[in-house]
Amino acid sequence: MRPTRRSASSEPRGQKRPGASRAPAAAASAPGNTRAPRPAGQAGGRSRAAKQRPRPSSPRAQEAGPGEPPPEPALPPPPIPATPTSSVATLDLGDQRERWETFQKRQRLTFEGAAKLLLDTFEYQGLVKHTGGCHCGAVRFEVWASADLHIFDCNCSVCKKKQNRHFIVPASRFKLLKGAESITTYTFNTHKAQHTFCKRCGVQSFYTPRSNPGGFGIAPHCLDEGTVRSMVIEEFNGSDWEKAMKEHKTIKNMSKE
């Protein structure tokens, strides 16, 4: 009797091991048994050759040569840090969260409003918030300054005609609340001073002085009542402006923080 020759499909390649028993040929050709039995030592797992076969999971893996392991997968990009926002929900307030939320509710303030109140209280210690504006109400502003105001009474050609008495503050302490579209500006001579006034009623409630172009000159008579405790008036010889500026010791720095 001739021994039955095994076909190439009945047994996986490269699986012959010394001493391994072969399955009967009848089992490979029996009806209904289409899969060849696994060689000894391979039950429950794939062959070593199959494990070493690279998977073409990416173009770089497909370019790998025979028997070469696939390249390591690229690391994911680092996470982008979250951008801070003005919402209290995104801030780590720790043990102060409950106090902060209670403070907001008690004061009936938004997050921004509560922060502004605390900043104003800390940043402007010793100052009060004055409010004011023009006659018709089109222009309104607020300014942080002392309750005891130091007023300059200038006698230059324009200030003398319009009785421009004013106190000076840094620009950071002044805020225009409304009326930017209602303001017009007059300049002359060096054009450094910006004489701003309401287009409707003609009142100058504030302006940018030549002596302090980085600040504002505020008209005390245009402030609302209730926040001014006292006023000291100093005459300034604006008719001889250059000489007066050289001799004055403090006016140059009144718009600085």
Side-chain angles (χ1 to χ4, degrees):
M1 176 181 284
R2 290 184 179 181
T4 304
R5 180 176 298 178
R6 297 177 184 273
S7 64
S9 60
S10 63
E11 183 174 348
R13 296 181 180 178
Q15 302 301 323
K16 294 182 182 181
R17 292 184 179 179
S21 60
R22 295 183 178 178
S29 59
N33 189 0
T34 58
R35 298 179 63 183
R38 294 180 179 176
Q42 302 300 321
R46 287 185 288 181
S47 65
R48 184 176 301 172
K51 289 183 179 179
Q52 294 179 352
R53 184 176 300 167
R55 296 180 181 179
S57 57
S58 65
R60 293 184 63 186
Q62 292 177 2
E63 293 175 1
E68 296 181 3
E72 294 293 330
L75 294 176
I80 300 174
T83 303
T85 65
S86 59
S87 173
V88 69
T90 62
L91 297 179
D92 184 12
L93 299 178
D95 295 338
Q96 307 306 316
R97 176 177 293 277
E98 185 176 353
R99 288 183 61 198
W100 178 266
E101 293 174 349
T102 302
F103 175 77
Q104 282 186 262
K105 292 178 182 178
R106 185 182 299 136
Q107 301 296 328
R108 297 181 181 179
L109 295 170
T110 62
F111 174 79
E112 183 180 357
K116 183 178 184 301
L117 175 61
L118 295 177
L119 282 170
D120 290 345
T121 303
F122 175 78
E123 189 176 7
Y124 301 133
Q125 290 182 0
L127 306 179
V128 298
K129 182 169 69 174
H130 305 279
T131 57
C134 66
H135 182 263
C136 69
V139 177
R140 294 288 298 170
F141 64 85
E142 68 180 31
V143 59
W144 286 87
S146 173
D148 303 302
L149 300 177
H150 188 103
I151 309 299
F152 290 101
D153 185 4
C154 181
N155 65 353
C156 74
S157 60
V158 66
C159 288
K160 185 176 181 179
K161 285 184 176 291
K162 65 180 180 179
Q163 296 294 291
N164 180 25
R165 298 181 179 91
H166 59 277
F167 62 95
I168 300 171
V169 297
S172 61
R173 297 183 190 172
F174 175 86
K175 182 179 181 180
L176 182 64
L177 300 177
K178 72 170 188 175
E181 70 285 350
S182 299
I183 294 174
T184 190
T185 303
Y186 170 70
T187 64
F188 71 102
N189 195 12
T190 63
H191 303 283
K192 291 183 178 180
Q194 304 291 305
H195 297 272
T196 49
F197 59 94
C198 176
K199 288 189 270 188
R200 182 178 177 185
C201 64
V203 170
Q204 175 181 288
S205 54
F206 66 90
Y207 84 113
T208 302
R210 179 184 175 186
S211 62
N212 286 264
F216 289 95
I218 313 298
H221 45 274
C222 289
L223 298 179
D224 300 332
E225 296 182 359
T227 54
V228 177
R229 183 167 51 200
S230 67
M231 288 189 292
V232 175
I233 299 177
E234 177 186 354
E235 293 184 354
F236 182 78
N237 187 19
S239 60
D240 194 354
W241 194 89
E242 284 78 9
K243 181 181 178 181
M245 284 295 296
K246 288 181 180 180
E247 294 177 351
H248 206 286
K249 296 180 180 180
T250 60
I251 193 171
K252 298 176 184 179
N253 300 320
M254 299 199 76
S255 63
K256 294 182 179 180
E257 297 289 345

